[in-house]
Amino acid sequence: MSDAKKNLLLFFDRPTEPCFMQKGENKSIFQLPDNYYPEKYRSTSNTIADRFGSDATQTIPIRNISLPNLSLPMQLPYNSQFSLWVPKHKEMATKLIDIFIGMRDVEDLQSLCSYCQLRINPYLFNYCLSVAILHREDTKGLNIPTFAETFPDKFMDPKVFRKAREVSTVVPSGNRQMPVVIPQNYTASEWDQEQRVAYFREDIGLNLHHWHWHLVYPFDSADRTIVAKDRRGELFYYMHQQIVARYTTERFCNKLGAPRRFSNFREPIEEGYFPKLDSQVASRAWPPRFAGSTIRDIDRPVDQIRVDVAQLETWRDRFLDAIDKMSVMLKNGRRVPLDEETGIDMLGNMMESSILSPNRDFYGDLHNMGHVFISYSHDPDHRNLEQFGVMGDSATAMRDPVFYRWHAYVDDLFQLYKNKLPPYTTDKLDFPGVRVASVSVESSGGPNVFRTQWEQSTVELGRGLDFTPRGSVLARFTHLTHDDFTYVIEVNNTSGAALMGTVRLFLAPAVDGAGAPLAFADQRRLMIELDKFTQALPAGSSTVRRRSAQSSVTIPYERTFRRQAARPGEPGAAPAADFDFCGCGWPHHMLLPKGAPDGFPVVLFAMISNWAEDRVEQDTAGTCTDAASYCGLRDRRYPDRRAMGFPFDRPAPAASLADFLTPNMSVRDCSIRFSDAVRQRQQG
């Protein structure tokens, strides 16, 4: 890997410290041309260079290049918040990403970054550089630091940073063995019933997943190929549908009802949310939303937003009309049908309003502006000079209970389309000659019993503690986890020849929050994908065993919370494969719902479909494939021809899950038993 390529990662280190200060473990400094220094430092540039360069171990000379026009991205104040969903911010980000991607080579990109890092809003700069690194041919494969390391303020109680700064100032680097403890459930008291599921909403890994998904799937760019990824709109639908299904199941485990849909934009939002987060860049506390708040017309000249709630309703009604007519209006007035194959993809691009939307002006920006309206409900006209709330940022939105109410409603709209599709016929579901005799689970809890508990792990804060002494500072946080388990599937192939199948594993709650059995129509929509893999099926009877850690949905702990200091090849480092950058994926520690102390009843579903009908012909060598279910494959087609969520993505005439089954399917009643104990994660 070229030095210039690796040097780009230094811009993620202590993001608000000027890049002429020492960066990274090797005390690297960028040697800037005089005209790159901001006005406030220019008269003392030589003194500054001498001060920080005297004990630097690496000096990186910066080319003095002809700089592009940066006037648009520089309109966002340095100490402001940044939101992908605010239209003006989105416009700035699109411009800066295009500039970064358009740089001639890595050295020129490095030069431009050194100029921008001193002037452009750190959140905007970090996002745009991350997208550019992911999509430039000459920077693919770089291990971008996890966002929680660069901007830990978006993920944890600000009290942690006061303690961390004390540790970094008082304790010499190398002796900082005692992690700072991040409190659990610190945003509300137990009197608030929503706090029962705070462990899910405020999980660092989940919020990182949501941030990273939107990093991998930007919705605007002058280069259409960056946005136009295979089945991108369908993936937007499916990833968020799975979030809602998982959250609903967590609520049932905690004796709560399903999230109420935020379908009436005029009614008060019953739940309040007080995030207890500080923005280190904006030097402000994230604003709360009080219980009973309503979304109101937005008129904020500072953000160049002026939009009425009625506009949101108009976009919603047009979306509903497209589903009702099963066709979409193009800009030229012609209508194109929403067919079975591509309809959901088109609707997903309309809902998120990416540049792939067939008629963005007409169908608008329903999903994104829903986030924006809610995030400004506390100060829609900027009279209090407040910035947006947590719903305005993809790294923090999942913390808020209303996120799930909004997305449950968005999913209802998608389901209206799915409900108009014909149910799958037996020939679409069955795999002639293949019979799944049984599915079961082996685990530490006994046969067909999943075990969950709390676990304490550590995350590195040193990279994000700007203007403090250098060195590692660890923080310890508590999160849900589960014991490893193994699926055991008994298969009988009566075709007389070896076959290839696709094994599809799902899990769904058997009862609701009140303990009442779920109707199949409801259970179907709560099917959580656990795994999907290709399997050789020899003639006759065989047993398929699959470890939970191999899930196609999740990424391992090391990738969600990897410590950048422990790189492959260094003492104590994990194998290089553990650090392959495929940062998009559901965190493995959240693979299973929490369950209940006396066991929460769930049903495990296994299906083996015909790989010959599922397969997508493509070369996936060298491609991250282990979290493809929710994230797809980088620069490849989605690795399954079936609809996402198949076979549960359409309504079925069956009265029960048992009635739905074909011979190539099997179910098993299981239980998730939660232990309110805390174990320490063994750090690799």
Side-chain angles (χ1 to χ4, degrees), residues 75-302:
Q75 288 177 23
L76 185 65
Y78 187 89
N79 295 112
S80 182
Q81 295 280 42
F82 163 70
S83 171
L84 275 177
W85 295 315
V86 172
K88 187 62 181 178
H89 295 191
K90 180 171 62 178
E91 186 185 341
M92 295 175 190
T94 299
K95 180 65 175 174
L96 189 56
I97 290 167
D98 291 339
I99 290 172
F100 282 165
I101 288 178
M103 297 309 289
R104 180 182 56 176
D105 54 32
V106 173
E107 284 75 14
D108 277 6
L109 176 59
Q110 177 181 273
S111 294
L112 179 60
C113 285
S114 67
Y115 183 86
C116 289
Q117 194 267 349
L118 297 164
R119 293 166 173 83
I120 284 179
N121 178 280
Y123 296 138
L124 172 63
F125 175 78
N126 179 289
Y127 170 75
C128 296
L129 181 56
S130 298
V131 173
I133 285 173
L134 282 174
H135 292 91
R136 281 180 67 107
E137 285 299 325
D138 55 4
T139 53
K140 284 179 182 174
L142 272 181
N143 290 293
I144 301 172
T146 179
F147 201 52
E149 282 191 2
T150 311
F151 294 110
D153 54 298
K154 288 182 183 278
F155 300 93
M156 55 196 77
D157 184 346
K159 293 194 196 79
V160 168
F161 304 114
R162 188 197 63 76
K163 294 175 185 173
R165 287 190 168 89
E166 178 184 338
V167 168
S168 67
T169 303
V170 174
V171 183
S173 179
N175 295 328
R176 301 171 188 165
Q177 302 302 317
M178 284 297 292
V180 177
V181 177
I182 301 171
Q184 190 180 17
N185 290 357
Y186 62 89
T187 52
S189 74
E190 60 187 24
W191 294 355
D192 181 358
Q193 66 175 13
E194 293 298 323
Q195 200 63 10
R196 296 182 206 170
V197 284
Y199 66 88
F200 181 92
R201 291 186 285 102
E202 295 169 358
D203 184 82
I204 296 174
L206 281 196
N207 283 278
L208 277 171
H209 160 73
H210 191 241
W211 168 80
H212 203 105
W213 192 94
H214 284 281
L215 182 72
V216 173
Y217 289 96
F219 44 78
D220 257 299
S221 175
D223 181 354
R224 192 176 174 87
T225 60
I226 290 174
V227 180
K229 294 173 176 149
D230 185 50
R231 296 169 69 178
R232 183 207 183 288
E234 184 179 7
L235 204 51
F236 170 81
Y237 142 74
Y238 184 58
M239 193 276 287
H240 289 90
Q241 182 270 331
Q242 286 284 287
I243 287 176
V244 172
R246 287 175 171 276
Y247 180 67
T248 302
T249 305
E250 297 289 351
R251 293 180 68 86
F252 289 171
C253 291
N254 288 279
K255 296 181 166 54
L256 297 171
R260 290 186 307 106
R261 276 54 180 159
F262 183 54
S263 55
N264 180 351
F265 305 157
R266 306 287 176 165
E267 74 177 14
I269 300 169
E270 187 179 311
E271 304 88 349
Y273 185 64
F274 291 72
K276 310 290 193 299
L277 295 176
D278 285 353
S279 168
Q280 304 293 313
V281 169
S283 300
R284 288 274 187 90
W286 283 80
R289 186 188 62 259
F290 287 85
S293 298
T294 55
I295 66 172
R296 291 172 285 168
D297 298 346
I298 299 176
D299 185 4
R300 294 178 59 99
V302 67

Side-chain angles (χ1 to χ4, degrees), residues 9 142-143 562-574 579-580:
L9 298 180
L142 272 181
N143 290 293
R562 64 189 178 282
R563 289 184 55 195
Q564 292 296 313
R567 304 305 306 164
E570 296 181 17
F579 284 91
D580 287 347

Side-chain angles (χ1 to χ4, degrees), residues 80 193 301 318 374 383 464 513:
S80 182
Q193 66 175 13
R318 289 172 178 172
I374 295 168
R383 72 178 61 194

Side-chain angles (χ1 to χ4, degrees), residues 220-451:
D220 257 299
S221 175
D223 181 354
R224 192 176 174 87
T225 60
I226 290 174
V227 180
K229 294 173 176 149
D230 185 50
R231 296 169 69 178
R232 183 207 183 288
E234 184 179 7
L235 204 51
F236 170 81
Y237 142 74
Y238 184 58
M239 193 276 287
H240 289 90
Q241 182 270 331
Q242 286 284 287
I243 287 176
V244 172
R246 287 175 171 276
Y247 180 67
T248 302
T249 305
E250 297 289 351
R251 293 180 68 86
F252 289 171
C253 291
N254 288 279
K255 296 181 166 54
L256 297 171
R260 290 186 307 106
R261 276 54 180 159
F262 183 54
S263 55
N264 180 351
F265 305 157
R266 306 287 176 165
E267 74 177 14
I269 300 169
E270 187 179 311
E271 304 88 349
Y273 185 64
F274 291 72
K276 310 290 193 299
L277 295 176
D278 285 353
S279 168
Q280 304 293 313
V281 169
S283 300
R284 288 274 187 90
W286 283 80
R289 186 188 62 259
F290 287 85
S293 298
T294 55
I295 66 172
R296 291 172 285 168
D297 298 346
I298 299 176
D299 185 4
R300 294 178 59 99
V302 67
D303 298 306
Q304 298 182 38
I305 306 179
R306 188 173 185 176
V307 61
D308 298 342
V309 177
Q311 184 66 70
L312 207 60
E313 293 167 330
T314 298
W315 292 335
R316 184 262 315 275
D317 293 344
R318 289 172 178 172
F319 194 87
L320 288 170
D321 181 67
I323 294 171
D324 185 55
K325 291 185 170 70
M326 285 298 276
S327 66
V328 170
M329 172 94 70
L330 300 183
K331 289 181 180 177
N332 62 10
R334 196 167 59 85
R335 299 194 78 95
V336 293
L338 289 168
D339 61 28
E340 289 187 35
E341 291 289 317
T342 62
I344 190 66
D345 194 50
M346 193 179 295
L347 289 171
N349 286 321
M350 287 161 54
M351 174 60 76
E352 197 191 13
S353 195
S354 76
I355 57 170
L356 307 179
S357 172
N359 193 348
R360 211 173 188 182
D361 293 339
F362 185 72
Y363 290 108
D365 202 3
L366 181 58
H367 162 264
N368 295 346
M369 289 307 292
H371 274 267
V372 170
F373 270 103
I374 295 168
S375 72
Y376 282 130
S377 60
H378 60 287
D379 195 15
D381 57 8
H382 201 228
R383 72 178 61 194
N384 297 306
L385 307 181
E386 285 288 335
Q387 302 195 38
F388 53 78
V390 293
M391 272 290 280
D393 189 328
S394 62
T396 56
M398 285 184 68
R399 303 173 71 85
D400 192 330
V402 81
F403 172 91
Y404 305 92
R405 292 190 58 196
W406 175 236
H407 273 281
Y409 179 59
V410 167
D411 188 59
D412 280 355
L413 299 181
F414 286 127
Q415 295 301 326
L416 292 174
Y417 158 78
K418 288 285 189 178
N419 290 345
K420 300 192 86 165
L421 302 181
Y424 289 117
T425 54
T426 301
D427 65 304
K428 295 280 190 192
L429 297 172
D430 199 11
F431 187 0
V434 173
R435 301 293 172 261
V436 176
S438 68
V439 60
S440 60
V441 167
E442 294 176 356
S443 82
S444 59
N448 305 312
V449 176
F450 302 99
R451 284 188 57 188

